[in-house]
Amino acid sequence: MNQALSAHLPALQVIVPLLAAPLCFLLRRPSLAWPFAFVVTLCTFAAAIALFNQTADGTVLSYHMGGWEPPWGIEYRIDRLSSLVLLLVSGMAAIAMLYAGASVAEEVPRDRQILFYTAFLLCLAGLLGMTITGDAFNLFVFLEISSLSTYILISFGRDRRALTSAFQYLIMGTIGATMLLIGIGFIYMMTGTLNMADLAERLPPVYETKTVRAAFAFIVIGLSIKLALFPLHIWLPNAYSFAPSVLTVFLAGTATKVALYALIRFVYTIFGGDFAFGQVPLQYILLSMAVLAVFSGSLYAVFQASVKHALAYSSIAQIGYMVIGVGLFTVAGMSAGLLHLFNHAIMKGCLFMAVGCVYLRYHSVSIETFKGLGRTMPWTMAAFVIGGLGLIGMPLTSGFVSKWYLVLAALDHGWGGFVLIATIMGGSLLAVAYVWRIVEAAYFQDPENDENVEAPLSLLVPTWILALATIYFGIDTHLPVNAATGAALDLLGGTQ
Amino acid sequence: MILDILSWLLIIAGGFVGVTGAIGLFRFPDFYTRMHAASMTDTLTAGLILVGLMLQCDSILTVLKLALIFFIMAYTGPTAAHVLAKTARHVNLKPYLHGKEDAS
Amino acid sequence: MYLAAAVAILFIMSLALARALLGPTLFDRILAVNMFGTKTVLLVAVLSLAAGDSSYLDIALVYVLINFIGVLAVLRFFEYDPDSRI
Amino acid sequence: MTTVLGLYNYWIVIALMMIGFYVVIAASNLIKKIIGLNIFQTSVFILYISIGMREGGAAPILKEGVEVYANPLPHVLILTAIVVGVATTALGLSLIVRIKEAYGSIEEDDIAEKDGSL
Amino acid sequence: MLLVTALGAVFIRDLFAVIMLFGIYSLVSAGFFLDLSAPDVALTEAAIGAGVAPLLMLATLALTREKTTPQPRAKRSIHTSLLPILVVTMTGAALVYATFDMPFIADPAGPAHNHVAPRYLQASGAEIGIPNVVTSVLASYRGFDTLGEVFVIFTAEIGVLSLLGFLADGSGRQYWQFEDTANLRRHNILHVVSKALIPVILIYAFYVQFHGDYSPGGGFQAGVLFAAGFILYAMIFGLQAAYRVVSPTALYWAMAIGVLLYGGTGVASLLLGGNYLDYNVLGSDAVHGQHNGILIVELGVGICVAAVMMSVFFKFSGRTAHFYDDRREVRK
């Protein structure tokens, strides 16, 4: 039985949250929905851990949906990269769900809580499905599941601007998805297959054609919209800011990360690095966009009046760091990028959770609100400071580790590398500026009234789990570094 | 052979009526007159062409399907036209009366 | 011969389309759309016989139904408007 | 010359895509944006179905005596994509309804004015 | 013709007209699909593009009721008018660029026809035993995609519910107190006609559902048609009458059950020792198993889609009733 279970783990990983969604919908009792959803996310997390262990030595698992052989049926394919992202997504989902219990009860009207959890589970299943699939079109379908549920979840926000930002995201997201669809259509036209591994084999003979180049451009642009890469990021700040707190935590930790994963998949696995960086000047485009993203994101973050907005812009900057790593096209760069992907999810999760605690008490997230919070909400703000230090990249936090690796990777790149290093340093300095503004308000200004309004324990526990994780992964870097390097080796193989 | 000729005659007639109606739809001065042209083609053209096609085909299933389409079109087309005209009347869309536009 | 029928129907369709574009009132448009729909059905029927595939007729049937429902829907939602404008 | 004739479908599709895409970006009315999105998506569907077309190919329903069929795979993909499209449309429209209730307008400019920044 | 309608949609300001043109556009493209020998897609596009989508747009328009107000020119900066054209031109250029190396249309030598697809055409007869290859691929070879598709529909419904009102007790009572202003009730002839027509539509929907193995059609198209029958009923006899026939609760159950039927088939095949959605194990031999699997799965799709379409429409028009009732209150 146990063996049978582990053989079907790849399917169960996605199926469990997917089928749990309609069940959750049928529960009809808001009080039952949360425990149910929580148990489901825990099971998903457990499955992800098991998969992570199975692939840790570099085995590639392949699961045939419906029992049909790959190019004809849909294949699920798990290597070290996808298992790392699966672990991250399901882990973040489990922790966000722990946080959701109290936060959703406060922020979402009771009669709609069931819908919230249902949509959350669908979103989780969509993200996991995107990560695990080995079929280009299947990726599109699950992208749509996760996107649609994200729009819904954003519109749960209380501010009426949640509606407009959800709509803006819907328009941009659909354009992105449609472009992805065009790109997939083009490569299907040129190769006659949709399976990723099969595509990788059949694409090289047609590298020279204009159609494949255009397909590549469409896929990269389409995914960059989901990824919120610099000029296409305009949906992100509002979407993050007006969504319910739990969702912001979850989205910041997973949605853009999975989009980045999909981009890596297409660029490295399907088209192959030689095509993407040899025949198409992707490297320069990605790196310059990333540099711009770091600077513009950080600058915007400094001037925001709302803490959520500031953190959202900071996310754009951090995406820039990850893209720098990915765009370097070396094992070191790739593993640094993946490492930052992992660490940033944890830090940002921690920060947004702390902000969510403040929102719970004050129903506002402007910097004004943060005045004197160091005294009235000491634990929350302590977690916030830890996350903020990670964002800046202080030693002993995980942010330092990934930036360090990033700098090391950039050093191999001559004078261009120095520009990148300057960007990383500059971004960190700006991060000091925007984190300091908030910390200054919290610790060096007087609160309006002095009573202690610390957030409830059910919110503090997940916040502190992530805060401690930020520190832990800053000291014991074993797990993420190994996983990221392994994944990078899988992707790039011999091309050092 | 006779069936064949008959069917083509019907189809040609249908096409002719249809084109006439379409020109009417395009040229007539106001809604109610256009409606006359359009709804006439809806039934007559459809009927003629479908019956013409029925004479062409050899399997009984196809004939039955065409007949079903014919009946449903004959059933829904005039209904839709009726509802449309009634609604237009209801919202006081004025017919074009030659030289007496201000009469009502 | 099928071709001739198809061309005639296409001609009717384009005139109906022109009327739908020109308006001028909403009712003219609805009328033109309705006519366009019925002529599409005929076109599909002709195509079906020309291709010798009777399963296309199923689709024609669906078009008829959808067309009818569509016209009613326009009228229904139009009539919701208490201050009807033309 | 053959290039132009052999690819005519794609050229039409591209023109349609451009129109739809333009409406999405440039229209200020939210409903019109959704319509543009639909036109954009429909043109992509036509692209796919054109890929699946094959000279002299019959509809992919197996029959005695027919040798050449159209490619069924793009048809399947597009069935899925149509459904995805209508799902997006429904969701977008319900968002519009709520936006109208919250702002009293479905014009992008009006909404931007009411929010100050967006 | 497609181009003309699309262009019309760009330039006409009256939204009613634009929506109708969009309906025509969909109908024309459906005809186009038919011409390219894709009857399944044509059926779906007609039902969705020319049926459901404009219906929902009209409902939204009834709720928001606005013309595209002509914009004062001064308000439009260069930024808003030039940028779209620029972006669109660039995209168009990329697309045209892409076409130069494409295989010609309908060229049998094109790669798309020679790698994966032939196997479906050659082997599905023996492996699945259904004439309609599209159904075989949809429900079996790429059954997981279709599962995803059903979930997309389900997700959309969750969204509509959360945005336009989810009734806590599900009885629909809250809406019954509003007077439904469906003016089509006046039309007596319409009543008689539609009473006869609705059963025909429903029976036809069943035909499309269960005949999908042999002719174009299947769960999805059948679901939409079935829903169309009920929508017609609701439009003519009013929403309350429709709620009396199918309550919102029944719809919620139906769509969850439809989704679960599909997913559950997969779980059943897991339990019987196959891979997920491997229908071979569901019957005495592989072909029977495939038959059973596809039948159940298509049924699940049909139920789910019908329930979702009905529910979405009811939500939109229920909102309408609600909305106008409020307005009347204000006027008094």
Side-chain angles (χ1 to χ4, degrees), chain A residues 83-441:
Chain A
S83 64
L84 177 69
V85 180
L86 284 178
L87 188 70
L88 179 73
V89 172
S90 54
M92 284 303 294
I95 292 178
M97 203 37 103
L98 186 61
Y99 185 85
S103 160
V104 169
E106 179 73 19
E107 289 182 36
V108 177
R110 195 173 153 76
D111 59 331
R112 283 159 62 199
Q113 282 172 14
I114 284 198
L115 296 174
F116 185 90
Y117 288 115
T118 309
F120 188 92
L121 287 173
L122 285 168
C123 184
L124 172 64
L127 292 172
L128 292 172
M130 272 174 80
T131 314
I132 205 169
T133 188
D135 188 278
F137 192 79
N138 197 239
L139 188 136
F140 166 77
V141 173
F142 277 85
L143 173 84
E144 282 291 352
I145 294 183
S146 71
S147 313
L148 283 181
S149 43
T150 311
Y151 312 143
I152 298 167
L153 289 167
I154 290 172
S155 71
F156 271 100
R158 280 185 163 181
D159 197 302
R160 67 177 179 179
R161 275 171 292 178
L163 296 171
T164 41
S165 41
F167 188 80
Q168 194 188 20
Y169 187 18
L170 183 135
I171 293 288
M172 288 201 67
T174 310
I175 291 176
T178 310
M179 287 197 162
L180 182 68
L181 197 60
I182 296 175
I184 293 174
F186 281 172
I187 52 177
Y188 174 70
M189 188 192 287
M190 299 311 288
T191 61
T193 181
L194 289 166
N195 183 278
M196 289 183 183
D198 202 27
L199 275 174
E201 273 173 35
R202 296 179 61 91
L203 267 176
V206 286
Y207 270 168
E208 289 298 322
T209 55
K210 298 181 177 98
T211 311
V212 170
R213 285 187 198 163
F216 184 71
F218 275 105
I219 289 174
V220 169
I221 293 175
L223 285 172
S224 299
I225 292 179
K226 294 307 269 190
L227 174 65
L229 189 59
F230 166 62
L232 304 169
H233 67 269
I234 45 174
W235 59 266
L236 187 139
N238 284 327
Y240 276 21
S241 303
F242 300 118
S245 315
V246 192
L247 186 70
T248 318
V249 172
F250 184 63
L251 280 186
T254 56
T256 49
K257 312 293 184 281
V258 172
L260 181 65
Y261 162 84
L263 185 68
I264 295 173
R265 241 325 147 226
F266 270 102
V267 169
Y268 284 89
T269 307
I270 295 183
F271 284 95
D274 296 329
F275 172 76
F277 298 103
Q279 308 211 356
V280 182
L282 180 69
Q283 186 163 25
Y284 299 104
I285 299 171
L286 274 190
L287 287 182
S288 49
M289 285 307 150
V291 169
L292 283 173
V294 171
F295 278 116
S296 68
S298 307
L299 270 176
Y300 270 113
V302 176
F303 296 107
Q304 293 302 315
S306 137
V307 176
K308 261 187 157 182
H309 263 112
L311 291 179
Y313 275 108
S314 136
S315 274
I316 292 166
Q318 305 288 331
I319 289 164
Y321 292 129
M322 294 168 217
V323 175
I324 289 179
V326 173
L328 282 176
F329 188 41
T330 58
V331 171
M334 178 56 93
S335 53
L338 291 176
L339 193 61
H340 196 63
L341 184 150
F342 186 82
N343 288 339
H344 174 248
I346 294 173
M347 301 182 300
K348 246 324 147 32
C350 169
L351 285 167
F352 274 124
M353 278 186 179
V355 175
C357 293
V358 175
Y359 183 79
L360 186 77
R361 286 287 180 239
Y362 290 96
H363 295 292
S364 159
V365 288
S366 69
I367 288 213
E368 295 291 306
T369 324
F370 275 67
K371 273 185 189 165
L373 281 189
R375 248 176 285 166
T376 54
M377 301 178 78
W379 285 97
T380 308
M381 284 319 291
F384 187 92
V385 169
I386 294 175
L389 289 178
L391 217 52
I392 297 168
M394 285 297 237
L396 294 187
T397 63
S398 56
F400 171 74
V401 182
S402 41
K403 281 190 185 168
W404 176 247
Y405 276 93
L406 213 51
V407 169
L408 284 185
L411 273 180
D412 297 340
H413 277 258
W415 67 268
F418 287 109
V419 175
L420 295 181
I421 294 171
T423 310
I424 296 167
M425 296 300 167
S428 304
L429 282 179
L430 286 170
V432 174
Y434 59 75
V435 172
W436 175 250
R437 277 178 72 219
I438 300 161
V439 171
E440 195 252 359

